[in-house]
């Protein structure tokens, strides 16, 4: 019998694998549809916009039908849509297919975090970083499959068919073990949208997720170019910068439960913001390629806890007396984070066009530093007051029913 914890971890890995598989084949897809940089950029906007649109809808669906149903429907559909991305023949159809895939994967992202929060409540353990390490591992596996497919000159459509053929049986085996069955009628209301957006603590947690998403997106999309243009590193060597960032992030997430148990979620967030800010700022200020690599490694370690811990605290803020709830709170914070993931990298490009990439990276470091005051302010609104021992998110869920209330 597959446990709830194992089933949710598998969903994180599969969703990460789908993302890593298609994202790493973007060069092949661009060549396939003969896309120029401008057209490709517009096509790649599709999944980000779709994620922003579907995140609140996914939260409502989880509240109405349960996370298990939403994950099964959306992840199955994503596996079926992935090969269609590989069949596109123009930038327009590529953009539409990626938008459909992004919307489905964004739906899964919200639902799997809802299911993960349910496991956290069930086990009374701070497992959110562990689950998000699964997403990082899945992304790494997906990107490795893309590298192998590219080396063997396998067209994207056949590569994506293989990925889908692996993902669907895995989902079939583990899907029944997912938590989040259909809620009872009295549990399906979940509160109004206005009741979510007027809560100050949720805005602070959303700010944490937003800053982390911007920094992560910038590291993914600009790290290699920064090293090539500003640190005179060769392209082949610079391409490994994001791998350093990703591996450090995944490894750090694996120890997340012990770290959060030792220091508490808000202190972990505050310290994480400082580590990420120091790494990005040092990499931008010190004119040495080795320091830049170390900076990206520190950024990966610092950002590792930010998104999963913010998700756990958002779910806790929406918990009801019967132990359910938190779907809309998770959807709200996720939507704000997606906006940062979508808008951050282009904003960095605009700033770099006016100044240079060194200034842009330094500003991202300052943005990461804002995670610290936002986390401490969120603690004051909903967690234990300074001077007392801080508790983990599961312990807070026992002590604070229904969150912090309207600000």
């Amino acid at each position: 019998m597959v446990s709830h914890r194992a089933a949710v971890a598998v969903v994180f890995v599969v969703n990460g694998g789908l993302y890593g598989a298609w994202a790493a084949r973007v060069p092949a897809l661009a060549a396939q549809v003969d896309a120029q940089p401008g057209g490709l950029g517009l096509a790649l906007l599709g999944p980000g916009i779709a994620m922003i649109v579907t995140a609140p809808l996914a939260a409502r669906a989880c509240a109405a039908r349960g996370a298990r149903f939403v994950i099964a429907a959306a992840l199955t559909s994503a596996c079926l849509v992935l090969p269609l991305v590989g069949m596109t023949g123009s930038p327009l159809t590529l953009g539409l297919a990626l938008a459909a895939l992004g919307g489905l994967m964004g739906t899964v992202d919200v639902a799997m975090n809802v299911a993960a929060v349910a496991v956290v409540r069930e086990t009374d353990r701070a497992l959110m970083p562990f689950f998000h390490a699964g997403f990082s591992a899945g992304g790494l596996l997906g990107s490795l499959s893309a590298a192998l497919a590219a080396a063997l000159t396998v067209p994207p459509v056949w590569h994506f068919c293989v990925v889908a053929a692996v993902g669907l049986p895995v989902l079939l085996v583990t899907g029944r073990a997912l938590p989040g069955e259909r809620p009872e009628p009295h549990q399906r209301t979940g509160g109004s949208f206005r009741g979510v957006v007027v809560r100050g603590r949720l805005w602070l947690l959303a700010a944490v997720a937003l800053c982390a998403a911007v920094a992560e997106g910038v590291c993914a999309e600009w790290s290699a170019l920064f090293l090539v243009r500003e640190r005179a590193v060769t392209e082949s060597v610079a391409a490994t910068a994001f791998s350093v960032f990703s591996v450090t992030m995944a490894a750090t997430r694996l120890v997340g439960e012990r770290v959060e148990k030792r220091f508490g979620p808000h202190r972990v967030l505050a310290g994480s913001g400082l580590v990420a800010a120091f790494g990005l700022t040092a990499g931008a200020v010190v004119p040495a390629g080795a320091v830049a690599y170390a900076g990206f490694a520190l950024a990966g370690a610092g950002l590792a806890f930010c998104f999963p811990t913010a998700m756990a605290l958002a779910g806790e803020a929406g918990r009801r007396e019967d132990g359910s709830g938190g779907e809309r709170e998770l959807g709200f914070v996720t939507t704000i984070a997606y906006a940062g993931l979508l808008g951050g990298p282009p904003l960095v490009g605009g700033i770099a066009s006016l100044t240079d990439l060194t200034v842009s990276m330094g500003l991202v470091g300052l943005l990461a530093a804002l995670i610290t005051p936002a986390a401490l302010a969120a603690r004051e609104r909903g967690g234990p007051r300074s001077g007392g021992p801080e508790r983990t998110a599961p312990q807070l869920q026992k002590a604070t029913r229904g969150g912090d209330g309207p600000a």
Side-chain angles (χ1 to χ4, degrees):
M1 180 66 180
V2 180
S3 67
H4 285 170
R5 175 184 174 181
V8 172
V10 166
V11 170
F12 273 80
V13 172
V14 171
N15 202 34
L18 294 180
Y19 175 76
W22 80 258
R25 295 307 304 269
V26 166
L29 291 169
Q32 176 177 301
V33 302
D34 193 25
Q36 300 302 313
L40 180 62
L42 289 175
L44 293 177
L45 279 176
I49 294 173
M51 286 180 173
I52 293 174
V53 172
T54 57
L57 300 178
R60 296 188 65 173
C62 288
R65 300 297 301 272
R68 180 190 300 169
F69 172 83
V70 176
I71 291 171
L75 194 51
T76 299
S77 300
C79 288
L80 296 176
V81 168
L82 181 62
L84 298 180
V85 174
M87 298 171 62
T88 55
S90 69
L92 176 60
T93 55
L94 176 62
L96 293 174
L98 285 178
L101 181 64
L104 290 167
M105 292 181 64
T107 299
V108 175
D109 193 80
V110 173
M112 70 186 189
N113 276 289
V114 171
V117 167
V119 175
V120 167
R121 293 170 178 170
E122 176 186 303
T123 60
D124 193 24
R125 295 176 60 184
L127 293 173
M128 289 297 280
F130 165 78
F131 289 130
H132 282 261
F135 183 87
S136 300
L140 181 60
L141 290 174
S143 63
L144 289 176
S145 76
L148 178 61
L152 298 175
T153 65
V154 177
V157 60
W158 295 116
H159 169 216
F160 295 162
C161 284
V162 172
V163 173
V166 173
L168 284 171
V170 171
L171 178 62
L172 182 64
V173 171
T174 59
R176 291 181 178 274
L178 289 169
E181 63 278 359
R182 188 168 182 172
E184 297 297 326
H186 70 279
Q187 297 179 351
R188 297 181 196 168
T189 57
S192 66
F193 179 74
R194 183 182 179 279
V196 172
V197 299
V198 299
R199 298 171 69 179
R201 187 182 184 212
L202 288 177
W203 279 103
L204 291 167
L205 293 174
V208 170
L210 173 69
C211 294
V214 170
E216 186 172 347
V218 168
C219 289
E221 299 184 23
W222 289 100
S223 57
L225 189 62
F226 169 77
L227 287 168
V228 170
R229 291 190 176 180
E230 305 295 335
R231 298 295 179 262
V233 175
T234 64
E235 288 189 22
S236 59
V237 175
T240 63
F242 185 60
S243 298
V244 171
F245 173 88
S246 299
V247 169
T248 307
M249 173 176 280
T252 304
R253 282 174 168 173
L254 289 176
V255 299
E257 181 182 2
R258 281 176 287 175
V259 173
E260 186 172 326
K261 185 177 181 180
R262 172 67 178 84
F263 297 103
H266 298 93
R267 290 195 183 103
V268 167
L269 283 178
S272 296
L274 293 177
V275 171
F278 178 79
L280 290 169
T281 304
V285 171
V286 180
V291 175
Y293 270 95
F296 286 125
L298 282 175
L303 296 173
F305 297 137
C306 293
F307 192 78
T309 304
M311 291 295 103
L313 291 172
E316 173 247 320
R319 189 178 193 223
R320 293 190 288 265
E321 290 289 345
D322 58 9
S324 64
E327 299 90 353
R328 283 178 170 80
E329 289 79 4
L330 281 165
F332 171 73
V333 172
T334 303
T335 302
I336 300 298
Y338 283 160
L341 197 62
L342 177 64
L347 181 61
V348 165
I351 295 173
S353 67
L354 298 174
T355 56
D356 56 38
L357 278 172
T358 297
V359 173
S360 294
M361 283 293 180
L363 290 176
V364 174
L366 293 177
L367 183 67
L370 295 179
I371 292 172
T372 299
L376 295 177
R379 180 192 180 195
E380 290 303 308
R381 282 186 176 269
R385 301 297 175 185
S386 57
E390 190 177 18
R391 294 164 286 183
T392 64
Q395 292 169 335
L396 287 170
Q397 288 165 3
K398 287 184 174 182
T400 57
R401 305 292 184 174
D404 61 327

